Amino acid sequence: MSIFTQRESDIRAYCRVYPVVFDKASNARQIDEQGNEYIDFFAGAGVLNFGHNNERMKAAVIDYIQQDGVLHSLDMHTTAKRRYMEVFESVILEPRAMEHRMQFMGPTGTNAVEAALKLARRVTGRRQVVAFSKGFHGMTLGALACTANSYFRGAAGVALDNVTHQPFAEITHLDKLREQYADASSGVEPPAAFIVETIQAEGGVNVASKEWLQALQALAHDHGALLIVDEIQVGCGRTGSFFSFDDVGIDPDIICLAKGIGGMGTPMAMNLVKPEHDKHWSPGEHTGTFRGQNLSFVAGVEALNYFRDSELMDQVANYTEVMNTALAPLARKYSQVAIRGKGMIIGLDVADTEHAKAIVAECFDNGLLIASCGTGGRVLKLIPPLTIPESDLRAGLAILVRATDNALEAAR
Amino acid sequence: MSIFTQRESDIRAYCRVYPVVFDKASNARQIDEQGNEYIDFFAGAGVLNFGHNNERMKAAVIDYIQQDGVLHSLDMHTTAKRRYMEVFESVILEPRAMEHRMQFMGPTGTNAVEAALKLARRVTGRRQVVAFSKGFHGMTLGALACTANSYFRGAAGVALDNVTHQPFAEITHLDKLREQYADASSGVEPPAAFIVETIQAEGGVNVASKEWLQALQALAHDHGALLIVDEIQVGCGRTGSFFSFDDVGIDPDIICLAKGIGGMGTPMAMNLVKPEHDKHWSPGEHTGTFRGQNLSFVAGVEALNYFRDSELMDQVANYTEVMNTALAPLARKYSQVAIRGKGMIIGLDVADTEHAKAIVAECFDNGLLIASCGTGGRVLKLIPPLTIPESDLRAGLAILVRATDNALEAAR
Amino acid sequence: MSIFTQRESDIRAYCRVYPVVFDKASNARQIDEQGNEYIDFFAGAGVLNFGHNNERMKAAVIDYIQQDGVLHSLDMHTTAKRRYMEVFESVILEPRAMEHRMQFMGPTGTNAVEAALKLARRVTGRRQVVAFSKGFHGMTLGALACTANSYFRGAAGVALDNVTHQPFAEITHLDKLREQYADASSGVEPPAAFIVETIQAEGGVNVASKEWLQALQALAHDHGALLIVDEIQVGCGRTGSFFSFDDVGIDPDIICLAKGIGGMGTPMAMNLVKPEHDKHWSPGEHTGTFRGQNLSFVAGVEALNYFRDSELMDQVANYTEVMNTALAPLARKYSQVAIRGKGMIIGLDVADTEHAKAIVAECFDNGLLIASCGTGGRVLKLIPPLTIPESDLRAGLAILVRATDNALEAAR
Amino acid sequence: MSIFTQRESDIRAYCRVYPVVFDKASNARQIDEQGNEYIDFFAGAGVLNFGHNNERMKAAVIDYIQQDGVLHSLDMHTTAKRRYMEVFESVILEPRAMEHRMQFMGPTGTNAVEAALKLARRVTGRRQVVAFSKGFHGMTLGALACTANSYFRGAAGVALDNVTHQPFAEITHLDKLREQYADASSGVEPPAAFIVETIQAEGGVNVASKEWLQALQALAHDHGALLIVDEIQVGCGRTGSFFSFDDVGIDPDIICLAKGIGGMGTPMAMNLVKPEHDKHWSPGEHTGTFRGQNLSFVAGVEALNYFRDSELMDQVANYTEVMNTALAPLARKYSQVAIRGKGMIIGLDVADTEHAKAIVAECFDNGLLIASCGTGGRVLKLIPPLTIPESDLRAGLAILVRATDNALEAAR
């Protein structure tokens, strides 16, 4: 492992938690070079909704490469991109009567957020953006200003201006903001946009209520601001429907997608933008070399195919119950434990950083990959592939429950 | 083509210049869905140094997928990443006695630049960065502040503070800066870093002299600033050596790499950072979901293999002469024409935006893909794959020379 | 009047409300060049607490000039400055056991605020400051960022960063801030300082409760922030005691004084700074040509003499009752009317900009100078000289009550 | 002197250089409380152009107070203000055919600069301003951003954005700027304004050439920027004419005045603004409590009366020769010494901070008040009252020359 310690940057992090070298992976399993297998409740930080090396995607991608399909195309037209857009339109947009345009950019979530912020500022002529406490939106300077965590913010080295943070999912606080926006002497002006995750993933699996999201949209629209929903971690089926907000009754102006939409782990990012906003762009104003990732288009079509019928989403509903059922006793047993989530993103909040660390470590020793999130990392985040076999899901849950019991019993 | 006009964002740009749908590609040729073939002097904006669907890379990548190699790994260890790092160390770093650490991040150039800026600010405790007129460093807010072009900057919607732009490659101007930095009453303080391209690609193929680059490094180091070299477009063999500065006698503190290092067009970005700077990072301070792109590691090893012996670089030297020889008559014939470049990045500056557009259009009609760059797009930028067959290279040059003649003769 | 319309800047404002040319003034009366007399409930925007041309001050100042006293001295020592400081120490600081240092700067309130902000940022190493909705702190860029009114802010022409505005005098909101400061993932950091007026004068005569001010001080100190109290308009006896917070139980880190402390209308500004903060200044870091205004020191001593015994403050208490008694029927009669204040700063809020304008105009026609404040100017602000004869006070109140009746009756 | 050390802020500075307590002053003499007399080559940092306690001004001011003239009036009309404006128009503006409007603000120079910056940004819709190395423009945040000295800038505690500093009085550098402004890819945009002192007083008495000032004006106007001339220290007769640029052939858009225009040391600031710019103000957008200082209007008229005929300016021309003649031998004798200036502001640059300190100290011991300026304080700045008796002028020069000789001889 010496090349890593000798030559990789000190900034490396996950490899410190999982100190092995992974070699193979399939669906919900990763295998290290010693042949040890791990059930994967981490799924590449929410990218691998359809499992490692999804067979349909493998086949499609290999076929595409073998046929010399165009791999890299910036924003030129390709047949693979056309197919992706057509399927996205017919499977996702049309059934929802969404008129949104599709904007591709550099294929990381932070690039999508940067593009959304630029457009919202352009459309409104305003510069201030409202983000929320515990929100996570990326690492580049524009997106980082929206990210709440002081550890990440502290690395900026410059002032993170033009964004203010408000409490997440507190409905009375929206009334306070409304009052301030209406008062020309409040010192607070309506923003260009509100950027929000419906479920804060990195922030500790915090779920916004339908009422709050609707009130937020109303506040935005009453004051000429855009509503940007960052679906990067919780979209693409994770919550039991393609969009996490499908059952919430909102209609965002811009939706940021990345992570899972590329299918098998190759990158892709896309914003869905209402046409009345999109028209404010001039050609090429926000570019990005890797905005035409055709392997991601090809695998992404296979991902979209999962949404043609209800089979996978039914399974997500079923698995959601399995997961909650397995974890519920922990919340009953330990008063400090809270369980939060929607669909197959579940946070097991053990209210203590050291306990969470111990649980992650014991899980790893017992063959389960799981990561923590939330302030100080006190929340175990369960985001297995949606395609995980039920046996793996149950086995993983058993490992997690046992590890949690061990950590929390010891601390009593 | 209707899905593109109906659903793709108005921001799309290259597809307006090349209004076809590409389907296949191989080495230096792209084929549209009508079966028309195009010689490629654009190479995916400098990504495809080793050609479309490079055979060695195809084989390696397909094999990797078929064996269920880990595709997506964040900053966990994988066998593919280890191999990439080992080969990079032995082929690139050790022969140059470079102690630099390798930092992976979100796989786009702009993410690399953002990471470099953060670290430079952390190391120095300063916030101001000096970039150069006509420089291009990316689209996210931190990198965009370094990009000079007002068209891109105008999309930010917020003030692009913390960066100042100085004239590029003017050695007397560095004396002026030195004077200001030394004067506590100048109102100008030494920056955290200077970020520079040795050859400005998007800026119009402007080549900095060895003397200027050395003077810039001296200025930086005399005033406690870091030298960041952005090699994203001109590194990875483009100029006839792996680094564009290999013959220049500088030793950058941070080197930003992306584009070509991923091999066949899948994304990857990497900073090379001197250990004394890298140690200022804390784990996970600058993250990115897609920082472990194993297909890029696998194809990237094949790219590195080209640097084990001198064969490809010898060919680049040869091709450079072919290209310059073919273009030289244009400069002799038309007084406004200038030819600039180093290795296989050559700018044909026709000093007029409309002429350049006409040339691009005629080339496209005759089966050559070429893009323009520089202020207003007055410079044709030749960046064919390094692996282009000589016959394609000569055929493409002939198309370009003829189109240029046609445009410039008509204008006399 | 033509020189004013021909040559004075369009920015002039009060002269549009009072379109006469004033010539003489004495205590609470101004006389225009036609000989018309006006009772003054405006007092030079709160400067003339001791009346126009206060006889004691006139005598002292004339004597000082006749004896060739030093008029202008920057921060050199003068005998007049020494006397001012000695009297201030013995009359104001020592009885309150205040250890604060006295800092003189450019003699306007905004300069005092700028100095306070600099020092708070220096002491804490933080840059963010919290100010409050409807607060007013000055026009120069640092102070203006603290001023809430969008009309003033809109003239800045640059982003007013480094300050956020919070709701004024809402105690539950302080709990919300406390929660955010304690949470490293809130995206909100504790500020360098809170800057507050105990009574917002320009903002509409809004009075903070004792409980809120104490809670604010506790919040500041628990999170390492300074408490800056801007006493510029409401200090110097206006509320019935030298400081407006004398009965509130707080101990501000920095107190900004200006306006009334110069005595008869010549400028002066002074910050009172706790010694542990003051020591962070280096000599001459915040200068100002006019920081040694000796006429203001001389007249200012006469102002301080009013605080040697309780006579004037007793009169303020008496007058406060006279004023409130006179206005109370308006609040009973008109449901929209609210009366707020403390001591001899009283706001008569008629809840309507046009009504307020009509009242100001009718008052002027009937020989009373009064100005409006608050959002859109809906609040009549009563700030007569503390030394006003009771007959003038009662006469002015009668004019105001009648004008208010006329405006509000007409609107029923 | 204990009240000063016990209670005055540590920020006090001049009193450390002149550790006495001044009591009286008349024309070019100050007298301390021990009766020691000092010839004044400092003139209150350039305020007292007409001497301490100028007899005409004393009489006018005392008379005004005795008659109960309005002392403090914000921007209401007063008879004293009308008289000031009429005299200013007839004596200063009309003879020069200047159409400029007069804007009064908070009576310190920094307030004038803040107002000028706001207006320039409003007029142009741009935010960036260009100031010059070694320039001094004030201490409040907007003006401080224009001030070059790092000692002052370091006290801001926040980023001083929106202003860049360029080399002062270097004509080739203006060509470089012109080139950058014309290039949309330079990363540098034309500013809202250039703010410049024709002679940098605090910066070390650096005199801009006529050619450079004209080229600067041409650059500004060719690129839609305003030219702001900060005349605060060098205007009002100091250079031998009312404006320092009267013989330079420029026509500034905004002229900032303060210091000397108030006559005898009471504060006043005024911007002269071309009508086409002034009309962009809305009433009351930039206010200031002390913008109606009637003692300054009254004394200021007496100051203006000096410009009705050429007597005083002829004397300035004569004194200028006396001063230069006295100092010239120093420059011949000591190679490091440089003498710079225009009219009665002369800098004696001894090229060494410690020597300058020693000279100031010896002068003080021998009865001469003189201050240093320039980087580190290496330049003795001679700015005696214009009304100094010739005997005092010669006596002061003799003290200074002797002290300089002593310091520099010792160092050989």
Side-chain angles (χ1 to χ4, degrees), chain D residues 54-118:
Chain D
N54 179 292
E55 291 300 329
R56 299 185 203 170
M57 297 176 187
K58 276 176 62 174
V61 158
I62 289 172
D63 181 61
Y64 187 79
I65 299 172
Q66 280 172 332
Q67 292 190 38
D68 280 341
V70 179
L71 294 188
H72 164 80
S73 57
L74 293 103
D75 61 358
M76 291 182 252
H77 300 148
T78 66
T79 46
K81 181 178 179 179
R82 181 167 58 197
R83 174 124 177 83
Y84 182 83
M85 290 180 68
E86 285 170 350
V87 175
F88 197 90
E89 182 183 51
S90 65
V91 175
I92 306 297
L93 299 178
E94 284 181 353
R96 291 167 176 81
M98 290 173 69
E99 302 285 342
H100 291 69
R101 296 295 189 102
M102 300 157 78
Q103 180 185 352
F104 301 94
M105 65 284 297
T108 69
T110 197
N111 291 48
V113 169
E114 295 264 347
L117 297 175
K118 283 184 186 178

Side-chain angles (χ1 to χ4, degrees), chain A residues 76-95:
Chain A
M76 289 182 254
H77 301 147
T78 67
T79 46
K81 180 178 180 180
R82 181 168 59 197
R83 175 126 177 83
Y84 182 82
M85 290 180 69
E86 285 169 351
V87 175
F88 197 90
E89 183 183 50
S90 66
V91 175
I92 306 298
L93 298 178
E94 284 181 352

Side-chain angles (χ1 to χ4, degrees), chain B residues 33 105 131 140 146 168 178 235 246-247 376 407:
Chain B
E33 61 180 347
M105 65 285 297
T140 53
C146 297
F168 178 72
R178 182 179 290 271
D246 274 330
D247 60 348

Side-chain angles (χ1 to χ4, degrees), chain B residues 204 206 336-340 347-352 378-380 408:
Chain B
N206 308 309
Q336 76 271 41
V337 166
I339 294 161
R340 298 183 294 268
L348 171 64
D349 185 346
V350 298
D352 183 281
R378 55 181 256 184
V379 181
L380 289 310
L408 300 190

Side-chain angles (χ1 to χ4, degrees), chain A residues 134 170 176 183 185-186, chain C residues 133-134 170 176 183 185-186:
Chain A
K134 294 197 165 64
E170 298 190 10
K176 174 57 59 194
D183 177 2
S185 296
S186 68
Chain C
S133 289
K134 295 195 164 64
E170 298 189 11
K176 172 58 58 192
D183 177 3
S185 295
S186 68

